[in-house]
Amino acid sequence: MAEHRSMQRAALLDAARSLLSEGGTEALTFPALAERTGLARSSVYEYFRSRAAVVEELCAADFPVWAAEVAAVMERAPTAESKVEAYVRQQLALVGDRRHRAVVAISASELDAGAREKIRAAHGGLVALIVEALGELGHEQPRLAAMLVQGVVDAAVRRIELGAAEDPSVITDAAVAMALRGVRG
């Protein structure tokens, strides 16, 4: 029975990922989850009390995977500057990844404080990856600089997600230039 429940939970999370990547947070509804998984809507409520709870669990599952992929690419970068570049490039490369798309589609405005806090903590783990590299580059406030770099990444992610006029590679190069050289480009 427990195995069956965990399979159903996994199926619900997978359906939630698909809905988010297809239609953003508006598409993530309990009726849609029920339809995708073939479960009764009442069954969906047995697993999750709210959309925020679905989002929270997705973040708990998917953020560490994403952060590990970013960390792996950074580890192979030989210099502090190339680590910062890898940090930006790898996150933007993951925008097309289904797991990442689900995380990106989650807008803070729809989440309760608990879910937002979990996302902030997960983001904090990601930001921590470049604090050291920024310190090596001589930043006096590497933690603040890291948060600002992540802000540039988040803006670039949104730009790519929107299907902006620019090609994703142009957006990525601009984000890397911004992270490494600031507004001088």
Side-chain angles (χ1 to χ4, degrees):
M1 181 64 194
E3 190 178 326
H4 179 66
R5 281 191 66 81
S6 87
M7 279 172 65
Q8 286 191 329
R9 187 175 208 94
L12 283 165
L13 287 174
D14 214 46
R17 280 186 194 98
S18 296
L19 289 165
L20 282 166
S21 63
E22 288 160 24
T25 36
E26 308 79 62
L28 180 60
T29 64
F30 279 26
L33 280 172
E35 192 182 320
R36 282 283 164 104
T37 54
L39 292 169
R41 199 184 311 183
S42 59
S43 299
V44 178
Y45 282 100
E46 286 174 32
Y47 292 92
F48 298 104
R49 65 186 187 286
S50 64
R51 284 187 344 157
V54 177
V55 164
E56 228 172 283
E57 191 152 326
L58 268 180
C59 286
D62 295 356
F63 246 118
V65 174
W66 177 32
E69 290 178 32
V70 174
V73 173
M74 287 177 70
E75 275 166 32
R76 295 195 292 273
T79 65
E81 188 166 312
S82 62
K83 283 184 192 313
V84 174
E85 179 166 351
Y87 177 86
V88 174
R89 284 195 186 281
Q90 183 60 17
Q91 285 192 72
L92 297 179
L94 290 172
V95 172
D97 181 304
R98 258 176 86 246
R99 288 160 309 175
H100 179 51
R101 289 183 65 83
V103 172
V104 168
I106 293 159
S107 73
S109 61
E110 302 184 34
L111 301 179
D112 61 35
R116 269 201 309 273
E117 199 41 59
K118 280 204 171 63
I119 291 172
R120 227 189 326 270
H123 247 123
L126 199 59
V127 167
L129 292 174
I130 59 162
V131 172
E132 189 181 337
L134 290 166
E136 282 176 40
L137 287 173
H139 270 281
E140 287 171 25
Q141 292 182 289
R143 178 129 188 92
L144 174 60
M147 291 169 102
L148 295 175
V149 168
Q150 185 59 43
V152 168
V153 171
D154 292 342
V157 164
R158 280 194 299 278
R159 190 104 188 124
I160 292 169
E161 277 288 299
L162 288 169
E166 309 89 0
D167 189 82
S169 66
V170 172
I171 296 169
T172 300
D173 289 345
V176 168
M178 185 69 79
L180 293 178
R181 290 182 288 286
V183 292
R184 282 192 220 96

